[in-house]
Amino acid sequence: MVPNRVSLVTIGAVNLPELRKFYQKLGWSETAISSDSYCVFETAGVLLSLYPLQELANDSGIDFTASKDVVSRITLAINVDNPEQVDLTATEVRTAGGRIVREPSNASWGGRIAYFLDPENNLWEIAWNPTAIFDERGAMITF
C-alpha cells in the first residue's frame, strides 16, 4: 500500500536565489537542510522545497521548459483562519513581489479566496473555508 501522505512539495526554480528571496519576504523560515543550491521552507503541513529546474530535470528525466512565462497546472494553497486573513495575506504577498491574479472575493461555496503567482508563475490560492479543521500544528486535516 502506498502511504497516503504528501510530505514534501518541490518547485523547480528557474532562478533559485530570486524565488528564495520571495518566500523569505513572506516571512517563511528555512530548515537547516537548506544550502546555496537548494532550500526547504517549513510550513504547517508539508515542507516546501525549491530546487533548480535543471537539476529537477536531470533527476526526473523530464525535459521541462525553463520559462517564467509558463503557469503551473498545479495550485498550492494557503488556508487561513478567518475571511479577513485572505485580504491581509494578499496584501503581504503583493508587498513581497507576488502578483495577485484574483483579488480577494467571496467564493460561491461560502468561503473567501484570492489567487497569486509567485515570481516564477507558480499558482497559489489563499483560502478561508468555514468548515476547515486544523490540527495543533496548523495543518488542515479536513474540510
Side-chain angles (χ1 to χ4, degrees):
M1 180 171 129
V2 175
N4 61 340
R5 71 185 115 182
V6 177
S7 49
L8 177 71
V9 172
T10 299
I11 295 174
V14 175
N15 183 331
L16 181 66
E18 178 184 317
L19 198 55
R20 171 186 249 153
K21 282 182 192 173
F22 172 75
Y23 289 99
Q24 289 170 338
K25 286 180 183 176
L26 294 181
W28 293 12
S29 299
E30 290 186 50
T31 66
I33 196 167
S34 293
S35 67
D36 289 341
S37 60
Y38 177 70
C39 60
V40 180
F41 291 92
E42 298 172 344
T43 73
V46 301
L47 295 174
L48 175 69
S49 71
L50 305 179
Y51 191 53
L53 185 60
Q54 188 56 53
E55 294 299 320
L56 185 59
N58 294 343
D59 285 355
S60 66
I62 301 292
D63 182 19
F64 296 101
T65 301
S67 171
K68 290 185 181 182
D69 299 327
V70 175
V71 175
S72 158
R73 295 185 325 184
I74 295 173
T75 302
L76 304 166
I78 301 168
N79 283 77
V80 296
D81 297 322
N82 59 60
E84 295 78 20
Q85 279 186 303
V86 172
D87 300 64
L88 293 171
T89 302
T91 298
E92 291 180 25
V93 164
R94 185 180 280 118
T95 299
R99 183 166 53 109
I100 305 299
V101 295
R102 179 175 176 172
E103 292 293 333
S105 59
N106 294 328
S108 61
W109 44 267
R112 187 158 180 82
I113 59 173
Y115 282 88
F116 71 90
L117 295 171
D118 73 11
E120 294 195 0
N121 286 341
N122 295 294
L123 184 61
W124 285 84
E125 177 186 26
I126 306 165
W128 169 72
N129 184 328
T131 62
I133 298 172
F134 299 90
D135 69 13
E136 65 281 350
R137 296 176 307 129
M140 188 165 62
I141 54 177
T142 191
F143 62 91

